[in-house]
Amino acid sequence: MEPLRRGKLYVLADILEAVETEEKMTNVMYKSRTTWMSLKKHLDFLARRGLVEARDDASEGLGRKRNLRKRYCLTDKGRKLLQHINEIRMLLGEEQ
């Protein structure tokens, strides 16, 4: 039996949950169970709508790569959306 694929809304909700605490992209990828390319596409989508924001991570890295590292965090707008998604999941009797 094949596992069910998650819909876009579920993937986005998993990403929003992963960035509730400020996280690096790799950590968000593992927490949200997405591929690198899929995560990049979805983070761009969420950032354009003001639901997540990327912050420079100056605490790690050396040289040129230091400027390329970012941490992603949830905005207030993203937090409200995640709350609504979780309420819908509860109404449908789904686990979070």
Coordinates of all heavy atoms in Angstrom, one line a residue:
M1 N 0.8 -1.2 0.0 CA 0.0 0.0 0.0 C 0.9 1.2 0.0 O 1.8 1.4 0.8 CB -0.9 0.0 1.2 CG -1.9 1.1 1.3 SD -2.9 0.8 2.8 CE -4.2 1.9 2.5
E2 N 0.6 2.2 -0.9 CA 1.4 3.4 -1.0 C 1.0 4.4 0.0 O -0.1 4.5 0.4 CB 1.2 4.0 -2.4 CG 1.9 3.3 -3.5 CD 1.7 4.0 -4.8 OE1 1.8 5.3 -4.8 OE2 1.6 3.4 -5.9
P3 N 2.0 5.1 0.6 CA 1.7 6.1 1.6 C 1.0 7.3 0.8 O 1.2 7.6 -0.3 CB 3.0 6.6 2.1 CG 4.0 6.2 1.1 CD 3.4 5.0 0.4
L4 N 0.0 7.9 1.5 CA -0.7 9.0 0.9 C 0.2 10.3 0.8 O 1.0 10.5 1.7 CB -1.9 9.4 1.8 CG -3.0 8.4 1.9 CD1 -4.1 8.8 2.9 CD2 -3.6 8.1 0.6
R5 N 0.1 11.0 -0.3 CA 0.9 12.2 -0.5 C 0.1 13.3 0.3 O -1.1 13.4 0.3 CB 1.0 12.5 -2.0 CG 1.8 11.6 -2.7 CD 1.9 11.9 -4.1 NE 2.5 13.3 -4.3 CZ 2.5 13.9 -5.4 NH1 2.1 13.4 -6.5 NH2 3.0 15.2 -5.5
R6 N 0.9 14.2 0.8 CA 0.4 15.4 1.5 C 0.0 16.4 0.5 O 0.7 16.6 -0.5 CB 1.4 16.0 2.5 CG 1.7 15.2 3.6 CD 2.7 15.9 4.5 NE 4.0 16.0 3.8 CZ 5.0 16.8 4.2 NH1 4.9 17.5 5.3 NH2 6.1 16.8 3.6
G7 N -1.1 17.1 0.7 CA -1.5 18.2 -0.2 C -0.6 19.4 0.1 O 0.1 19.5 1.2
K8 N -0.7 20.4 -0.7 CA 0.1 21.6 -0.6 C -0.2 22.3 0.8 O 0.7 22.8 1.5 CB -0.2 22.6 -1.7 CG 0.7 23.8 -1.7 CD 0.5 24.7 -2.9 CE 1.4 25.9 -2.8 NZ 1.3 26.7 -4.0
L9 N -1.4 22.4 1.2 CA -1.8 23.0 2.4 C -1.1 22.3 3.6 O -0.6 23.0 4.5 CB -3.3 23.0 2.6 CG -3.8 23.8 3.9 CD1 -3.4 25.3 3.8 CD2 -5.3 23.7 4.0
Y10 N -1.1 21.0 3.6 CA -0.4 20.3 4.7 C 1.1 20.5 4.7 O 1.7 20.6 5.7 CB -0.7 18.8 4.6 CG -2.2 18.4 5.0 CD1 -3.1 18.3 4.0 CD2 -2.5 18.3 6.3 CE1 -4.4 18.0 4.3 CE2 -3.8 18.0 6.6 CZ -4.8 17.9 5.6 OH -6.1 17.6 6.0
V11 N 1.7 20.6 3.5 CA 3.1 20.8 3.4 C 3.4 22.2 4.0 O 4.3 22.4 4.8 CB 3.6 20.7 2.0 CG1 5.1 21.1 1.9 CG2 3.5 19.3 1.5
L12 N 2.6 23.2 3.6 CA 2.8 24.6 4.0 C 2.6 24.6 5.6 O 3.4 25.3 6.2 CB 1.9 25.5 3.3 CG 2.1 25.7 1.8 CD1 1.0 26.6 1.2 CD2 3.5 26.3 1.6
A13 N 1.6 23.9 6.1 CA 1.4 23.9 7.5 C 2.6 23.3 8.3 O 3.0 23.8 9.3 CB 0.1 23.2 7.9
D14 N 3.1 22.2 7.7 CA 4.3 21.6 8.3 C 5.5 22.6 8.3 O 6.3 22.6 9.3 CB 4.7 20.3 7.6 CG 3.6 19.2 7.9 OD1 2.9 19.3 8.9 OD2 3.6 18.2 7.2
I15 N 5.7 23.3 7.3 CA 6.8 24.3 7.2 C 6.5 25.4 8.2 O 7.5 25.8 8.9 CB 6.9 24.8 5.8 CG1 7.4 23.7 4.8 CG2 7.9 26.0 5.7 CD1 7.4 24.1 3.4
L16 N 5.3 25.9 8.3 CA 5.0 27.0 9.3 C 5.3 26.5 10.7 O 5.8 27.2 11.5 CB 3.6 27.4 9.1 CG 3.2 28.2 7.9 CD1 1.7 28.4 7.8 CD2 4.0 29.5 7.8
E17 N 4.9 25.2 11.0 CA 5.2 24.7 12.3 C 6.7 24.6 12.6 O 7.2 24.8 13.7 CB 4.5 23.3 12.5 CG 3.0 23.4 12.6 CD 2.4 22.0 12.7 OE1 3.1 21.0 12.5 OE2 1.2 22.0 12.9
A18 N 7.4 24.2 11.5 CA 8.9 24.0 11.7 C 9.6 25.4 12.0 O 10.6 25.4 12.6 CB 9.5 23.4 10.4
V19 N 9.0 26.5 11.5 CA 9.7 27.8 11.7 C 9.1 28.6 12.8 O 9.4 29.7 13.0 CB 9.7 28.6 10.4 CG1 10.5 28.0 9.3 CG2 8.3 29.0 9.9
E20 N 8.3 27.9 13.6 CA 7.8 28.6 14.8 C 8.9 29.1 15.7 O 8.8 30.1 16.3 CB 6.8 27.7 15.6 CG 5.4 27.6 15.2 CD 4.5 26.9 16.1 OE1 4.6 25.7 16.2 OE2 3.7 27.5 16.7
T21 N 9.9 28.2 15.8 CA 11.2 28.7 16.4 C 12.1 29.0 15.3 O 12.2 28.2 14.3 CB 11.8 27.6 17.4 OG1 12.0 26.4 16.6 CG2 10.9 27.3 18.5
E22 N 12.9 30.0 15.4 CA 13.8 30.4 14.3 C 14.7 29.3 14.0 O 15.4 28.7 14.8 CB 14.6 31.6 14.8 CG 15.3 32.4 13.7 CD 15.8 33.7 14.1 OE1 15.1 34.6 14.6 OE2 17.1 33.8 14.1
E23 N 14.7 28.8 12.7 CA 15.5 27.7 12.3 C 16.3 27.9 11.0 O 15.8 28.7 10.1 CB 14.5 26.5 12.0 CG 13.8 26.0 13.3 CD 14.8 25.2 14.2 OE1 15.9 24.9 13.8 OE2 14.3 24.9 15.3
K24 N 17.3 27.1 10.8 CA 18.1 27.1 9.6 C 17.3 26.3 8.6 O 16.5 25.4 8.9 CB 19.4 26.5 9.8 CG 20.4 27.3 10.6 CD 21.7 26.6 10.7 CE 22.3 26.8 12.0 NZ 23.5 26.0 12.2
M25 N 17.6 26.5 7.3 CA 16.8 25.8 6.2 C 16.9 24.3 6.3 O 15.9 23.6 6.1 CB 17.3 26.3 4.9 CG 16.4 25.9 3.8 SD 16.7 26.9 2.3 CE 15.8 25.9 1.1
T26 N 18.1 23.8 6.7 CA 18.2 22.4 6.8 C 17.3 21.8 7.9 O 16.7 20.8 7.7 CB 19.7 22.0 7.1 OG1 20.5 22.6 6.1 CG2 19.9 20.5 7.1
N27 N 17.3 22.5 9.0 CA 16.4 22.0 10.1 C 15.0 22.1 9.7 O 14.2 21.2 10.1 CB 16.7 22.8 11.4 CG 18.0 22.7 11.9 OD1 18.8 21.7 11.6 ND2 18.4 23.5 12.9
V28 N 14.6 23.1 9.0 CA 13.2 23.2 8.5 C 12.9 22.1 7.6 O 11.8 21.5 7.7 CB 12.9 24.6 7.8 CG1 11.5 24.7 7.3 CG2 13.2 25.7 8.8
M29 N 13.8 21.7 6.7 CA 13.6 20.6 5.8 C 13.4 19.3 6.5 O 12.4 18.6 6.2 CB 14.9 20.5 4.9 CG 14.8 19.4 3.8 SD 16.3 19.3 2.8 CE 17.4 18.5 4.0
Y30 N 14.1 19.0 7.5 CA 13.9 17.8 8.3 C 12.6 17.8 9.1 O 11.9 16.8 9.1 CB 15.1 17.5 9.2 CG 16.4 17.2 8.5 CD1 17.6 17.8 8.8 CD2 16.4 16.2 7.4 CE1 18.8 17.5 8.1 CE2 17.6 15.9 6.7 CZ 18.7 16.6 7.1 OH 19.9 16.3 6.4
K31 N 12.4 18.9 9.7 CA 11.1 19.0 10.5 C 9.9 18.9 9.7 O 8.9 18.4 10.1 CB 11.1 20.3 11.4 CG 12.1 20.2 12.5 CD 12.0 21.5 13.3 CE 12.9 21.5 14.5 NZ 12.7 22.8 15.3
S32 N 9.9 19.5 8.5 CA 8.7 19.5 7.7 C 8.7 18.4 6.7 O 7.7 18.2 5.9 CB 8.7 20.8 6.9 OG 9.8 21.0 6.0
R33 N 9.7 17.5 6.7 CA 9.7 16.3 5.8 C 9.6 16.7 4.3 O 8.7 16.1 3.6 CB 8.7 15.3 6.2 CG 8.8 14.8 7.7 CD 7.7 13.9 8.1 NE 6.4 14.1 7.6 CZ 5.4 14.8 8.2 NH1 5.7 15.4 9.3 NH2 4.2 14.9 7.7
T34 N 10.4 17.6 3.9 CA 10.3 18.0 2.5 C 11.7 17.9 1.9 O 12.7 17.8 2.6 CB 9.9 19.5 2.4 OG1 10.8 20.3 3.1 CG2 8.5 19.7 2.8
T35 N 11.8 18.0 0.6 CA 13.1 18.0 -0.1 C 13.6 19.4 -0.1 O 12.8 20.4 0.1 CB 12.9 17.5 -1.6 OG1 12.1 18.4 -2.3 CG2 12.4 16.1 -1.6
W36 N 14.9 19.6 -0.4 CA 15.5 20.9 -0.5 C 14.8 21.8 -1.5 O 14.5 22.9 -1.2 CB 17.0 20.7 -0.8 CG 17.7 22.0 -0.7 CD1 18.1 22.8 -1.8 CD2 18.3 22.6 0.4 NE1 18.8 23.9 -1.3 CE2 18.9 23.8 0.0 CE3 18.3 22.2 1.8 CZ2 19.6 24.6 0.9 CZ3 18.9 23.1 2.7 CH2 19.6 24.2 2.2
M37 N 14.6 21.3 -2.7 CA 14.0 22.1 -3.8 C 12.5 22.5 -3.5 O 12.1 23.6 -3.7 CB 14.0 21.3 -5.1 CG 15.4 21.2 -5.7 SD 16.3 22.7 -5.9 CE 15.4 23.4 -7.2
S38 N 11.8 21.5 -2.9 CA 10.4 21.8 -2.6 C 10.3 22.8 -1.4 O 9.5 23.7 -1.5 CB 9.7 20.5 -2.1 OG 8.4 20.7 -1.6
L39 N 11.2 22.7 -0.5 CA 11.2 23.6 0.7 C 11.6 25.0 0.2 O 10.9 26.0 0.6 CB 12.2 23.2 1.7 CG 12.4 24.1 2.9 CD1 11.1 24.3 3.6 CD2 13.5 23.6 3.8
K40 N 12.6 25.1 -0.7 CA 13.0 26.4 -1.2 C 11.8 27.1 -1.9 O 11.5 28.3 -1.7 CB 14.1 26.3 -2.1 CG 14.7 27.6 -2.6 CD 16.1 27.5 -3.1 CE 16.6 28.8 -3.7 NZ 16.2 30.0 -3.1
K41 N 11.1 26.3 -2.7 CA 9.9 26.9 -3.5 C 8.8 27.3 -2.5 O 8.3 28.4 -2.6 CB 9.4 25.8 -4.4 CG 8.1 26.2 -5.2 CD 7.7 25.1 -6.1 CE 6.9 24.1 -5.2 NZ 6.2 23.1 -5.9
H42 N 8.5 26.5 -1.5 CA 7.5 26.8 -0.5 C 7.9 28.0 0.4 O 7.0 28.8 0.7 CB 7.1 25.6 0.3 CG 6.3 24.6 -0.5 ND1 6.9 23.5 -1.1 CD2 5.0 24.6 -0.9 CE1 6.0 22.8 -1.8 NE2 4.8 23.5 -1.7
L43 N 9.1 28.0 0.8 CA 9.6 29.2 1.6 C 9.5 30.5 0.9 O 9.1 31.5 1.4 CB 11.0 29.0 2.1 CG 11.2 28.0 3.4 CD1 12.7 27.8 3.6 CD2 10.5 28.6 4.6
D44 N 9.8 30.5 -0.4 CA 9.7 31.7 -1.2 C 8.2 32.1 -1.3 O 7.9 33.3 -1.2 CB 10.3 31.4 -2.6 CG 11.8 31.3 -2.6 OD1 12.4 31.8 -1.7 OD2 12.3 30.8 -3.6
F45 N 7.4 31.1 -1.5 CA 5.9 31.4 -1.6 C 5.4 32.0 -0.3 O 4.7 33.0 -0.3 CB 5.2 30.0 -1.8 CG 3.7 30.1 -1.8 CD1 3.0 30.5 -2.9 CD2 3.0 29.8 -0.6 CE1 1.6 30.5 -2.9 CE2 1.6 29.8 -0.6 CZ 0.9 30.2 -1.7
L46 N 5.8 31.4 0.9 CA 5.4 31.9 2.2 C 6.0 33.3 2.5 O 5.3 34.2 3.0 CB 5.8 30.9 3.3 CG 5.0 29.6 3.2 CD1 5.7 28.6 4.2 CD2 3.6 29.8 3.6
A47 N 7.2 33.5 2.1 CA 7.9 34.8 2.3 C 7.3 35.9 1.5 O 7.1 37.0 2.0 CB 9.4 34.7 2.0
R48 N 6.9 35.7 0.3 CA 6.3 36.7 -0.6 C 4.9 37.1 0.0 O 4.5 38.2 -0.2 CB 6.1 36.1 -2.0 CG 7.3 36.2 -2.8 CD 7.0 35.9 -4.3 NE 6.2 34.8 -4.6 CZ 6.6 33.5 -4.8 NH1 7.9 33.3 -4.8 NH2 5.7 32.6 -5.1
R49 N 4.3 36.3 0.8 CA 3.0 36.6 1.4 C 3.1 37.1 2.8 O 2.1 37.3 3.5 CB 2.1 35.4 1.3 CG 1.6 35.2 -0.1 CD 1.2 33.8 -0.5 NE 0.8 33.7 -1.8 CZ 1.6 33.6 -2.9 NH1 2.9 33.6 -2.7 NH2 1.1 33.5 -4.1
G50 N 4.4 37.3 3.3 CA 4.6 37.8 4.6 C 4.3 36.8 5.7 O 4.0 37.3 6.9
L51 N 4.3 35.5 5.5 CA 4.0 34.5 6.5 C 5.3 34.0 7.2 O 5.2 33.6 8.4 CB 3.3 33.4 5.8 CG 2.0 33.8 5.2 CD1 1.5 32.6 4.3 CD2 0.9 34.2 6.2
V52 N 6.4 34.1 6.5 CA 7.7 33.8 7.2 C 8.7 34.9 6.7 O 8.5 35.6 5.7 CB 8.3 32.4 6.8 CG1 7.3 31.3 7.2 CG2 8.6 32.3 5.3
E53 N 9.8 35.0 7.5 CA 10.8 35.9 7.1 C 12.2 35.3 7.3 O 12.3 34.4 8.2 CB 10.7 37.2 7.8 CG 11.0 37.2 9.3 CD 10.8 38.6 9.9 OE1 10.2 39.5 9.3 OE2 11.4 38.8 11.0
A54 N 13.1 35.6 6.4 CA 14.5 35.1 6.5 C 15.3 36.2 7.2 O 15.2 37.4 6.9 CB 15.0 34.8 5.1
R55 N 16.1 35.7 8.1 CA 17.1 36.6 8.8 C 18.5 36.1 8.6 O 18.7 34.9 8.6 CB 16.7 36.7 10.3 CG 15.4 37.2 10.6 CD 15.1 37.3 12.1 NE 13.8 37.9 12.3 CZ 13.2 37.7 13.5 NH1 13.7 37.1 14.5 NH2 12.0 38.3 13.6
D56 N 19.4 37.0 8.4 CA 20.8 36.7 8.3 C 21.3 36.0 9.6 O 21.0 36.5 10.6 CB 21.7 37.9 7.9 CG 21.4 38.3 6.5 OD1 21.0 37.5 5.6 OD2 21.5 39.6 6.3
D57 N 22.1 35.0 9.4 CA 22.6 34.3 10.6 C 24.1 34.6 10.6 O 24.9 33.9 9.9 CB 22.4 32.8 10.5 CG 22.9 32.0 11.7 OD1 23.3 32.7 12.7 OD2 22.9 30.8 11.6
A58 N 24.5 35.6 11.3 CA 25.9 36.0 11.4 C 26.7 35.3 12.5 O 27.9 35.4 12.6 CB 26.0 37.5 11.7
S59 N 26.0 34.4 13.2 CA 26.6 33.7 14.3 C 27.5 32.5 13.9 O 28.3 32.0 14.6 CB 25.6 33.2 15.3 OG 24.8 32.3 14.7
E60 N 27.3 32.0 12.6 CA 28.0 30.8 12.2 C 28.6 31.0 10.8 O 28.3 31.9 10.1 CB 27.0 29.6 12.1 CG 26.5 29.2 13.5 CD 25.7 28.0 13.4 OE1 25.9 27.2 12.4 OE2 24.9 27.8 14.3
G61 N 29.5 30.1 10.5 CA 30.1 30.2 9.2 C 31.4 31.0 9.1 O 31.6 31.9 9.9
L62 N 32.2 30.8 8.1 CA 33.4 31.5 7.9 C 33.4 32.0 6.5 O 32.9 31.4 5.6 CB 34.6 30.6 8.2 CG 34.7 30.0 9.6 CD1 35.9 29.0 9.6 CD2 35.0 31.1 10.6
G63 N 34.1 33.2 6.3 CA 34.3 33.7 5.0 C 33.0 34.0 4.2 O 32.1 34.5 4.8
R64 N 33.1 33.8 2.9 CA 32.0 34.1 2.0 C 30.7 33.4 2.4 O 29.6 34.0 2.3 CB 32.3 33.7 0.6 CG 32.6 34.8 -0.3 CD 33.0 34.3 -1.6 NE 32.1 33.3 -2.1 CZ 31.7 33.2 -3.3 NH1 32.1 34.0 -4.2 NH2 30.9 32.2 -3.7
K65 N 30.7 32.2 2.8 CA 29.5 31.4 3.1 C 28.7 32.0 4.3 O 27.6 31.8 4.4 CB 29.8 29.9 3.3 CG 30.2 29.2 2.0 CD 30.3 27.7 2.2 CE 30.6 27.1 0.9 NZ 30.5 25.6 1.0
R66 N 29.5 32.7 5.1 CA 28.8 33.2 6.3 C 27.6 34.1 5.9 O 26.6 34.1 6.6 CB 29.8 34.1 7.1 CG 29.3 34.7 8.3 CD 30.4 35.5 9.0 NE 29.9 35.9 10.3 CZ 30.6 36.3 11.3 NH1 31.9 36.2 11.2 NH2 30.1 36.7 12.4
N67 N 27.7 34.9 4.8 CA 26.7 35.8 4.4 C 25.5 35.0 3.8 O 24.4 35.6 3.6 CB 27.2 36.8 3.4 CG 28.2 37.7 4.1 OD1 28.2 37.9 5.2 ND2 29.2 38.1 3.3
L68 N 25.7 33.8 3.4 CA 24.6 33.0 2.7 C 23.7 32.3 3.7 O 22.6 31.9 3.2 CB 25.3 32.0 1.7 CG 26.2 32.6 0.7 CD1 26.8 31.5 -0.1 CD2 25.4 33.5 -0.2
R69 N 24.1 32.2 4.9 CA 23.3 31.5 5.9 C 22.1 32.3 6.4 O 22.3 33.5 6.7 CB 24.1 31.0 7.0 CG 25.3 30.1 6.5 CD 25.5 29.0 7.4 NE 26.4 28.1 6.7 CZ 27.3 27.4 7.3 NH1 27.5 27.5 8.6 NH2 28.1 26.7 6.6
K70 N 21.0 31.7 6.4 CA 19.8 32.4 6.9 C 19.0 31.5 7.9 O 19.1 30.3 7.9 CB 18.8 32.7 5.7 CG 19.5 33.6 4.7 CD 18.4 34.5 4.1 CE 19.0 35.4 3.0 NZ 19.8 36.5 3.5
R71 N 18.3 32.2 8.7 CA 17.4 31.5 9.6 C 16.0 32.0 9.3 O 15.8 33.1 9.0 CB 17.7 31.8 11.1 CG 18.9 31.2 11.6 CD 19.1 31.4 13.1 NE 20.2 30.7 13.6 CZ 20.2 29.5 14.1 NH1 19.0 28.9 14.2 NH2 21.3 28.9 14.6
Y72 N 15.0 31.1 9.3 CA 13.6 31.4 9.0 C 12.8 31.4 10.2 O 13.0 30.6 11.1 CB 13.1 30.4 8.0 CG 13.8 30.5 6.6 CD1 15.0 29.9 6.4 CD2 13.3 31.4 5.6 CE1 15.7 30.0 5.2 CE2 14.0 31.5 4.4 CZ 15.1 30.9 4.2 OH 15.8 31.0 3.0
C73 N 11.9 32.4 10.3 CA 11.0 32.5 11.4 C 9.6 32.9 11.0 O 9.4 33.4 9.9 CB 11.5 33.5 12.5 SG 11.7 35.1 11.9
L74 N 8.7 32.6 11.8 CA 7.2 32.8 11.6 C 6.9 34.3 11.9 O 7.4 34.8 12.9 CB 6.4 31.9 12.5 CG 5.0 31.5 12.1 CD1 5.0 30.9 10.8 CD2 4.5 30.5 13.1
T75 N 6.1 34.9 11.0 CA 5.7 36.3 11.3 C 4.3 36.2 12.1 O 3.8 35.1 12.2 CB 5.4 37.1 10.0 OG1 4.4 36.4 9.3 CG2 6.7 37.2 9.2
D76 N 3.8 37.3 12.5 CA 2.5 37.3 13.2 C 1.4 36.8 12.3 O 0.6 36.0 12.7 CB 2.2 38.7 13.7 CG 3.0 39.1 14.9 OD1 3.6 38.2 15.6 OD2 3.2 40.3 15.2
K77 N 1.5 37.2 11.0 CA 0.5 36.8 10.0 C 0.6 35.3 9.8 O -0.4 34.6 9.7 CB 0.8 37.5 8.7 CG -0.2 37.3 7.6 CD 0.2 38.1 6.4 CE -0.7 37.8 5.2 NZ -0.3 38.7 4.1
G78 N 1.8 34.7 9.8 CA 2.0 33.3 9.6 C 1.5 32.5 10.8 O 1.0 31.4 10.7
R79 N 1.7 33.1 12.0 CA 1.3 32.5 13.3 C -0.3 32.4 13.3 O -0.8 31.3 13.6 CB 1.8 33.3 14.5 CG 1.7 32.5 15.8 CD 2.5 33.2 16.9 NE 3.9 32.8 16.8 CZ 4.8 33.6 16.3 NH1 4.6 34.9 16.0 NH2 6.1 33.2 16.3
K80 N -0.9 33.4 12.8 CA -2.4 33.4 12.7 C -2.9 32.4 11.7 O -3.8 31.6 12.0 CB -2.9 34.8 12.3 CG -2.9 35.8 13.4 CD -3.4 37.2 12.9 CE -3.1 38.2 13.9 NZ -3.5 39.6 13.4
L81 N -2.2 32.3 10.6 CA -2.6 31.3 9.6 C -2.4 29.9 10.1 O -3.3 29.0 10.0 CB -1.8 31.4 8.3 CG -2.1 30.4 7.2 CD1 -3.5 30.4 6.8 CD2 -1.1 30.5 6.1
L82 N -1.3 29.6 10.8 CA -1.1 28.3 11.4 C -2.1 28.0 12.4 O -2.6 26.8 12.5 CB 0.3 28.2 12.0 CG 0.8 26.9 12.6 CD1 0.7 25.8 11.6 CD2 2.2 27.0 13.2
Q83 N -2.5 28.9 13.2 CA -3.6 28.7 14.2 C -4.9 28.3 13.6 O -5.5 27.4 14.0 CB -3.7 30.0 15.1 CG -4.8 29.8 16.2 CD -4.9 31.1 17.0 OE1 -4.3 32.1 16.7 NE2 -5.7 31.0 18.0
H84 N -5.2 29.0 12.5 CA -6.5 28.7 11.7 C -6.4 27.3 11.1 O -7.4 26.5 11.2 CB -6.8 29.7 10.7 CG -7.2 31.0 11.2 ND1 -8.2 31.2 12.0 CD2 -6.6 32.3 11.0 CE1 -8.3 32.5 12.4 NE2 -7.4 33.2 11.8
I85 N -5.2 26.9 10.6 CA -5.1 25.6 10.0 C -5.2 24.5 11.0 O -5.9 23.5 10.8 CB -3.7 25.5 9.3 CG1 -3.7 26.3 8.0 CG2 -3.4 24.0 8.9 CD1 -2.3 26.5 7.4
N86 N -4.6 24.7 12.2 CA -4.7 23.8 13.3 C -6.2 23.7 13.8 O -6.6 22.6 14.2 CB -3.8 24.1 14.4 CG -2.3 23.9 14.0 OD1 -2.1 23.0 13.2 ND2 -1.4 24.5 14.7
E87 N -6.9 24.8 13.8 CA -8.3 24.7 14.2 C -9.1 23.9 13.2 O -10.0 23.1 13.6 CB -8.9 26.1 14.3 CG -8.4 26.9 15.5 CD -8.8 28.4 15.5 OE1 -9.5 28.8 14.5 OE2 -8.4 29.1 16.4
I88 N -8.9 24.1 11.9 CA -9.5 23.3 10.9 C -9.2 21.8 11.1 O -10.1 20.9 11.0 CB -9.2 23.8 9.5 CG1 -9.8 25.2 9.3 CG2 -9.7 22.8 8.4 CD1 -9.3 25.9 8.1
R89 N -7.9 21.5 11.3 CA -7.5 20.1 11.5 C -8.3 19.5 12.7 O -8.7 18.3 12.6 CB -6.0 20.0 11.7 CG -5.2 20.1 10.5 CD -3.7 20.1 10.9 NE -2.9 19.9 9.7 CZ -1.6 19.9 9.8 NH1 -0.9 20.1 10.9 NH2 -0.9 19.7 8.7
M90 N -8.4 20.3 13.8 CA -9.2 19.8 15.0 C -10.6 19.5 14.6 O -11.2 18.5 15.0 CB -9.1 20.8 16.1 CG -7.8 20.6 17.0 SD -7.7 21.7 18.4 CE -9.4 22.1 18.8
L91 N -11.2 20.4 13.9 CA -12.6 20.2 13.5 C -12.8 19.0 12.6 O -13.9 18.3 12.7 CB -13.1 21.5 12.8 CG -13.3 22.7 13.6 CD1 -13.6 23.9 12.7 CD2 -14.5 22.5 14.6
L92 N -11.8 18.7 11.8 CA -11.9 17.5 11.0 C -11.5 16.2 11.7 O -11.5 15.2 11.1 CB -11.0 17.7 9.7 CG -11.4 18.8 8.8 CD1 -10.4 19.0 7.7 CD2 -12.8 18.5 8.2
G93 N -11.0 16.4 12.9 CA -10.6 15.2 13.7 C -9.3 14.7 13.3 O -9.0 13.5 13.5
E94 N -8.4 15.5 12.8 CA -7.1 15.1 12.3 C -6.1 15.3 13.4 O -6.2 16.3 14.2 CB -6.7 15.8 11.1 CG -7.5 15.4 9.9 CD -7.0 16.1 8.6 OE1 -5.9 16.6 8.6 OE2 -7.8 16.0 7.6
E95 N -5.1 14.5 13.5 CA -3.9 14.7 14.4 C -3.0 15.8 13.8 O -2.9 16.0 12.7 CB -3.1 13.4 14.5 CG -3.9 12.2 15.1 CD -3.7 12.1 16.5 OE1 -2.7 12.5 17.1 OE2 -4.6 11.4 17.2
Q96 N -2.4 16.5 14.7 CA -1.4 17.5 14.3 C 0.0 17.0 14.4 O 0.4 16.3 15.2 CB -1.6 18.7 15.2 CG -2.9 19.4 14.9 CD -3.0 20.7 15.7 OE1 -2.1 21.3 16.1 NE2 -4.3 21.0 16.0

